[in-house]
């Protein structure tokens, strides 16, 4: 082999290597990213495993591993109601996974424990950085405390008003676009003798989040705190609570006071209520029970014509500080939030992709619930309110402490004013603790 | 004044001298026995009825009977959701935990029942007090110990955790069973030339059978149903146990009741079968010592 042939072969080889290298990985990593991005064994925990979602992750993992033969993903599905406890125990025992899905509702404690890494540098170096929905990323930043992105969201699950399209058509009513129309429809569609109610109000487990979503949507108040004080006991809020609670047992079933998500879905799917408020995640339940009789619109507008959307807790991918393979973990996250993976996952669960390019996938066009939520998100008049998940006690206040109080309001043992004052005071106290801790 | 002769003659039944108890031929007491029992059965069996209906009827059906009969939910849980290996894991963990618990409880119970030693009262107190500690509080210390011993994500770790958790109650129960067998029986065997171990093996063990069955079955059921340790100490899907697998069928937005019921039936059947076989020993074992003779 002469020198020229040798040189040519070397150049061709080098070019081929470069092309292959660029094909195998489109990821750009920041300096100092930990571990080999092309060779790792990663443990990945899913916080909401189940027969409907696990196969989707397994398929995406299969695709990722085929494209990245050096990386092996060990998927572990966790039951949704025990996932947080499992994360906390594993952290305390020093056995956290490399990466996992966490809800924004419990991201803050992980951040406070310094258990997860900031993804900002990875994001800044990523070729996909402009494809993500800026509003949702901002909301994720706020949930983690405001400054850094600790969790990469991959789906948005907006509050939705599900309604019986056939009953509305029979009654000649349009699905509500304002809260006045909503209350009117709830009363018009109630026929207690026939066992039909206009609405199902959530009184049992998980009832405070939807209540807050209603409170912000109907009043148009844009933030949980203004001038350092909670807005929850403003007079408009108290009026809104009173009006909502007045529906109970008038336009809703009496049993609602104890009902959580499964009972609410059963009432709606079983044909006893005309409307229910829940996020996009219940689509498959409604499709199974009602088919195309179930319609969906975004939560109604307030009096000013604005739509105020309080975001639901959403799942995010997080990378744990203890992981020795953070570079490979990011590569996996980038794959999972790529246009193709996002469309695949979200169109099967009926939620909104965070990767905006994925939203043009044809399947979304045939989902009224997703279209309604997207229209609300894209509307320039829409205001997004992020719940203060960063407060150390927020989860406890919402999920435990206020639950019994709300049930008392429903059955008339507590006034809306007292409820709102109590709620606001708890949040103010939690905020004071948070500020004190930040100041240290 | 009346005399005794004025009294009407009363014919008393002949006293029963055969030694066998008389059979009472009263009518069944409908309101005092039948109705409460029926209510109790309704309360107990209705959830099972629903479980069977959900497990055997097709998805989306509103039938009150498991008809048209389908096995699709069983196929899903067993073959798709991995209950085949969850079941195997549960069986391994529960069986080995039963053996370990029973063996150690037997030794501890014997020591407590037969020997006098200075630390006996503190030991009994410690065993009793350990019952007040909820399992969740043991998680983190156990996790750290197991991590050092490479027992996290390992069925052996789960067996050890289940055994440790059940041992205090099992040891106390066993001590009670052993205490109510007269020590003279053992002493007589030893006078006849048996060693203590041999006397224990040939005299005590057969007499302890109801106690062993009671303790062993509690250990089996406790381990079979333990969700918390299974969830916390195991992180690979292929090593999950049945209770963890069951909770895995409940998503935050979706509950497939058919699949859940089929999984519940699969988890319940061995327990029911075990109880059906051993229940006479269990009652005998639990009531032993209730009447001192």
């Amino acid at each position: 082999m002469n020198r020229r042939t040798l040189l040519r072969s070397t150049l061709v080889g080098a070019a081929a290597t470069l092309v292959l290298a660029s094909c195998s990985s489109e990821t750009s990593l920041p300096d100092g990213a930990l571990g080999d991005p092309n060779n790792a064994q990663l443990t990945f925990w899913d916080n909401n495993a189940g027969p409907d979602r696990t196969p989707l992750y397994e398929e995406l993992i299969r695709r990722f591993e085929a494209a990245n033969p050096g990386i092996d993903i060990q998927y572990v599905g966790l039951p949704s109601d025990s996932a947080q406890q499992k994360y906390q125990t594993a952290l305390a025992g020093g056995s956290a996974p490399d990466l996992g899905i966490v809800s924004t509702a419990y991201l803050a404690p992980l951040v406070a424990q310094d258990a997860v890494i900031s993804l900002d540098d990875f994001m800044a170096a990523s070729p996909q950085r402009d494809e993500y929905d800026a509003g949702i990323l901002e909301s994720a930043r706020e949930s983690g405390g405001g400054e850094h992105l600790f969790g990469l969201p991959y789906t948005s699950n907006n509050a939705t008003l599900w309604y019986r399209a056939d009953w509305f058509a029979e009654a000649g009513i349009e699905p509500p676009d304002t809260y006045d129309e909503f209350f009117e429809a709830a009363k018009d569609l109630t026929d207690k003798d026939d066992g039909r109610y206009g609405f199902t109000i959530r009184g049992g487990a998980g009832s405070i989040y939807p209540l807050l979503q209603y409170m912000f949507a109907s009043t148009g108040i844009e933030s949980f705190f203004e001038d350092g004080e909670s807005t929850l006991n403003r007079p408009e809020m108290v009026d809104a609570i009173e009006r909502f609670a007045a529906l109970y047992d008038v336009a809703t079933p009496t049993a609602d006071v104890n009902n959580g998500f499964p009972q609410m879905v059963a009432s709606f799917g079983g044909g006893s209520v005309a409307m229910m408020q829940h996020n996009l995640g219940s689509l498959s339940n409604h499709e199974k029970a009602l088919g195309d009789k179930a319609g969906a619109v975004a939560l109604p507008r307030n009096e000013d014509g604005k739509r105020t959307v309080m975001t639901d807790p959403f799942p995010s991918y997080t990378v744990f500080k203890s992981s020795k393979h953070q570079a490979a973990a990011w590569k996996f996250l980038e794959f999972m939030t790529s246009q193709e993976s996002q469309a695949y996952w979200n169109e099967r669960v009926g939620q909104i992709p965070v990767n905006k390019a994925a939203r043009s996938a044809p399947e979304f066009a045939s989902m009224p619930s997703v279209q309604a939520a997207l229209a609300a998100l894209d509307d320039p008049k829409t205001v997004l309110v992020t719940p203060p998940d960063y407060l150390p006690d927020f989860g406890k206040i919402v999920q435990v402490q206020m639950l019994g109080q709300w049930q008392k309001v429903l059955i008339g043992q507590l006034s809306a004013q007292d409820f709102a004052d109590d709620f606001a005071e708890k949040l103010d106290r939690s905020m004071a603790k948070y500020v004190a801790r930040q100041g240290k | 004044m009346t005399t005794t002769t004025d009294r009407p003659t009363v014919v008393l039944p002949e006293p029963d001298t055969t030694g066998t108890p008389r059979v009472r031929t009263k009518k069944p007491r409908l309101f005092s026995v039948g109705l409460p029992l029926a209510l109790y059965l309704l309360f107990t069996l209705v959830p099972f009825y629903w479980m069977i209906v959900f497990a055997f009827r097709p998805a989306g059906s509103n039938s009150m009977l498991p008809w048209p009969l389908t096995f699709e939910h069983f196929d899903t849980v067993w073959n798709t959701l991995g209950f085949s290996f969850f079941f195997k894991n549960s069986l391994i963990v529960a069986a080995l935990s039963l053996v370990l618990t029973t063996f150690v409880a037997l030794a501890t119970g014997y020591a407590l029942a037969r020997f006098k030693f200075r630390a006996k009262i503190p030991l009994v107190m410690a065993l009793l007090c350990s019952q007040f500690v909820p399992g969740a509080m043991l998680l983190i210390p156990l996790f750290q110990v197991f991590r050092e011993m490479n027992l996290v994500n390992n069925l052996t770790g789960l067996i050890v955790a289940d055994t440790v958790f059940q041992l205090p109650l099992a040891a106390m129960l066993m001590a009670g069973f052993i205490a109510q067998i007269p020590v003279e029986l053992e002493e007589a065997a030893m006078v006849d030339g048996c060693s203590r171990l041999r006397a224990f093996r040939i005299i005590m063990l057969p007499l302890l059978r109801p106690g062993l069955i009671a303790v062993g079955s509690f250990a089996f059921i406790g381990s079979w149903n333990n969700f918390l340790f299974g969830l916390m100490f195991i992180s690979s899907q292929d090593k999950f146990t049945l209770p963890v697998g069951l909770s895995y069928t409940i998503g935050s937005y979706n509950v497939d009741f058919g699949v859940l019921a089929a999984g519940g039936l699969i988890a319940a059947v061995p327990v029911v079968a075990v109880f059906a076989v051993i229940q006479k020993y269990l009652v005998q074992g639990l009531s032993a010592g209730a009447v001192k003779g």
Side-chain angles (χ1 to χ4, degrees):
Chain A
M1 189 186 287
N2 61 29
R3 282 178 66 187
R4 185 175 290 180
T5 318
L6 182 67
L7 186 65
R8 194 183 293 157
S9 319
T10 312
L11 282 173
V12 168
T17 310
L18 275 174
V19 168
L20 278 176
S22 63
C23 284
S24 70
S25 166
E26 291 172 5
T27 312
S28 296
L29 293 164
D31 293 341
L34 214 59
D36 182 349
N38 296 313
N39 203 349
Q41 271 206 323
L42 299 173
T43 309
F44 165 51
W45 286 7
D46 167 18
N47 71 341
N48 185 10
D52 51 342
R53 298 189 181 208
T54 296
L56 307 183
Y57 289 115
E58 286 172 342
E59 168 60 19
L60 288 173
I61 289 169
R62 197 189 55 70
R63 292 182 189 177
F64 176 77
E65 286 177 339
N68 298 274
I71 305 180
D72 177 48
I73 310 278
Q74 195 207 350
Y75 171 89
V76 180
L78 307 178
S80 62
D81 55 354
S82 315
Q84 186 179 5
Q85 192 188 5
K86 171 100 180 172
Y87 275 120
Q88 288 299 337
T89 312
L91 276 173
S95 298
D98 293 289
L99 72 156
I101 303 171
V102 301
S103 165
T104 46
Y106 54 84
L107 178 62
L110 296 175
V111 173
Q113 288 166 291
D114 200 21
V116 291
I117 63 166
S118 156
L119 301 172
D120 290 313
D121 291 342
F122 287 103
M123 180 62 95
S126 170
Q128 272 176 209
R129 64 182 175 275
D130 296 325
E131 292 177 18
Y132 300 113
D133 185 308
I136 296 173
L137 283 194
E138 188 49 38
S139 198
R141 276 199 177 85
E142 282 182 40
S143 300
E147 287 176 33
H148 300 289
L149 186 73
F150 291 101
L152 179 61
Y154 59 97
T155 183
S156 179
N157 198 4
N158 292 33
T160 298
L161 192 68
W162 296 94
Y163 67 95
R164 284 291 301 257
D166 50 340
W167 292 9
F168 272 78
E170 271 168 33
I173 314 173
E174 285 295 307
D177 190 46
T178 66
Y179 268 99
D180 285 338
E181 289 172 12
F182 164 76
F183 281 102
E184 216 165 293
K187 283 185 183 143
D188 288 349
L189 291 168
T190 299
D191 181 355
K192 283 190 176 181
D193 297 335
D194 202 21
R196 281 186 176 195
Y197 298 87
F199 186 60
T200 173
I201 205 164
R202 193 165 173 175
S207 57
I208 305 299
Y209 249 99
L211 171 68
L212 285 169
Q213 283 170 328
Y214 154 77
M215 284 161 66
F216 282 99
S218 68
T219 59
I221 292 176
E222 295 178 7
S223 170
F224 269 76
F225 293 94
E226 273 173 26
D227 303 325
E229 275 196 15
S230 169
T231 55
L232 293 189
N233 59 345
R234 294 257 183 94
E236 316 83 288
M237 286 289 199
V238 176
D239 289 346
I241 298 168
E242 260 169 14
R243 197 177 182 197
F244 201 48
L247 282 179
Y248 173 67
D249 210 16
V250 174
T252 78
T254 316
D256 277 3
V257 67
N258 283 317
N259 283 354
F261 170 72
Q263 295 87 349
M264 201 167 62
V265 166
S267 301
F268 185 65
S272 57
V273 295
M275 292 184 282
M276 69 170 268
Q277 181 190 326
H278 189 253
N279 58 38
L280 296 169
S282 50
L283 171 69
S284 65
N285 291 282
H286 307 321
E287 270 183 346
K288 260 186 229 165
L290 298 168
D292 56 3
K293 288 179 196 162
V297 286
L299 290 195
R301 298 171 197 277
N302 56 52
E303 279 175 11
D304 300 336
K306 273 192 309 189
R307 213 183 293 274
T308 313
V309 177
M310 182 187 128
T311 52
D312 252 58
F314 47 80
S316 309
Y317 293 114
T318 48
V319 178
F320 283 82
K321 207 161 199 170
S322 53
S323 169
K324 295 183 175 70
H325 310 291
Q326 293 169 1
W330 173 259
K331 200 170 175 184
F332 177 62
L333 296 201
E334 244 181 2
F335 173 83
M336 295 297 268
T337 52
S338 65
Q339 178 179 349
E340 199 183 334
S341 304
Q342 280 272 282
Y344 174 81
W345 195 90
N346 282 282
E347 72 191 20
R348 277 161 184 78
V349 300
Q351 293 180 187
I352 298 176
V354 169
N355 188 318
K356 288 181 292 182
R359 292 176 186 172
S360 54
E363 282 77 5
F364 291 117
S366 59
M367 289 185 199
S369 50
V370 174
Q371 290 306 317
L374 272 175
L377 278 183
D378 292 342
D379 185 344
K381 278 187 182 171
T382 296
V383 179
L384 279 188
V385 177
T386 305
D389 287 314
Y390 51 87
L391 292 180
D393 307 325
F394 186 68
K396 198 168 63 186
I397 295 170
V398 166
Q399 284 157 28
V400 184
Q401 294 178 351
M402 295 314 295
L403 185 62
Q405 301 294 84
W406 172 232
Q407 289 176 319
K408 281 186 189 170
V409 174
L410 289 179
I411 57 174
Q413 286 184 357
L414 186 72
S415 72
Q417 182 72 56
D418 290 345
F419 171 81
D421 286 343
D422 185 22
F423 206 161
E425 190 197 325
K426 284 188 166 76
L427 283 192
D428 285 339
R429 221 180 304 144
S430 183
M431 176 58 103
K433 254 200 273 182
Y434 177 73
V435 170
R437 188 191 282 181
Q438 294 296 99
K440 272 181 191 172
Chain B
M1 191 178 171
T2 53
T3 62
T4 51
T5 50
D6 296 327
R7 286 181 182 166
T9 312
V10 176
V11 181
L12 291 169
E14 286 293 315
D16 187 57
T17 53
T18 58
T20 50
R22 281 188 301 131
V23 179
R24 304 185 80 166
T25 52
K26 268 192 171 178
K27 278 185 179 176
R29 285 162 292 177
L30 183 65
F31 288 103
S32 58
V33 178
L35 199 65
L37 271 181
L39 281 175
Y40 175 73
L41 273 180
L42 197 70
F43 186 74
T44 319
L45 294 181
V46 161
F48 280 96
Y49 163 74
W50 276 116
M51 197 153 82
I52 290 167
V53 169
F54 272 107
F56 287 104
R57 76 183 184 190
S61 162
N62 286 326
S63 163
M64 295 289 279
L65 291 171
W67 196 260
L69 198 66
T70 174
F71 292 96
E72 60 175 330
H73 303 309
F74 288 93
D75 181 45
T76 307
V77 286
W78 195 259
N79 297 320
T80 313
L81 291 183
F83 269 54
S84 53
F85 48 87
F86 298 163
F87 191 88
K88 194 180 81 190
N89 294 337
S90 270
L91 211 56
I92 292 170
V93 171
L96 291 177
S97 166
L98 176 159
V99 172
L100 262 180
T101 308
T102 315
F103 183 74
V104 183
L106 193 62
T108 319
Y110 189 81
L112 287 175
R114 290 288 189 250
F115 299 118
K116 286 182 181 162
F117 51 97
R118 196 175 285 176
K120 190 169 168 179
I121 300 295
L123 179 67
V124 172
M125 290 300 286
L127 285 178
L128 274 176
C129 290
S130 67
Q131 295 300 293
F132 307 146
V133 182
M137 278 186 69
L138 297 176
L139 283 178
I140 292 171
L142 270 179
F143 211 101
Q144 284 173 336
V145 172
F146 282 178
R147 195 163 58 92
E148 293 298 317
M149 297 170 72
N150 262 339
L151 289 179
V152 173
N153 199 21
N154 188 329
L155 289 185
T156 311
L158 202 52
I159 294 164
V160 171
D162 281 348
T163 304
V164 167
F165 194 63
Q166 296 179 105
L167 210 47
L169 181 68
M172 299 290 294
L173 270 176
M174 195 61 89
F177 290 128
I178 293 172
Q180 52 98 29
I181 297 176
V183 70
E184 289 80 8
L185 292 177
E186 261 181 290
E187 285 170 353
M190 288 198 283
V191 167
D192 285 346
C194 282
S195 65
R196 182 178 282 277
L197 192 65
R198 189 169 153 76
F200 179 78
R201 194 164 55 80
I202 61 173
I203 304 292
M204 293 291 286
L205 267 187
L207 292 171
L208 266 176
R209 198 164 62 164
L212 285 171
I213 288 172
V215 168
S217 48
F218 276 121
F220 182 85
I221 306 297
S223 183
W224 183 265
N225 288 336
N226 195 333
F227 165 72
L228 192 64
F229 291 166
L231 176 73
M232 291 302 158
F233 297 133
I234 301 296
S235 291
S236 304
Q237 210 106 335
D238 57 347
K239 291 180 186 159
F240 279 166
T241 51
L242 271 178
V244 183
L246 270 180
S247 68
Y248 178 70
T249 62
I250 306 171
S252 60
Y253 299 132
N254 200 356
V255 184
D256 190 332
F257 287 104
V259 166
L260 186 62
L265 269 183
I266 289 173
V269 163
V271 180
V272 173
V274 165
F275 268 103
V277 173
I278 64 158
Q279 52 114 355
K280 64 175 178 178
Y281 298 105
L282 196 64
V283 174
Q284 202 180 339
L286 290 177
S287 59
V291 181
K292 292 275 177 192

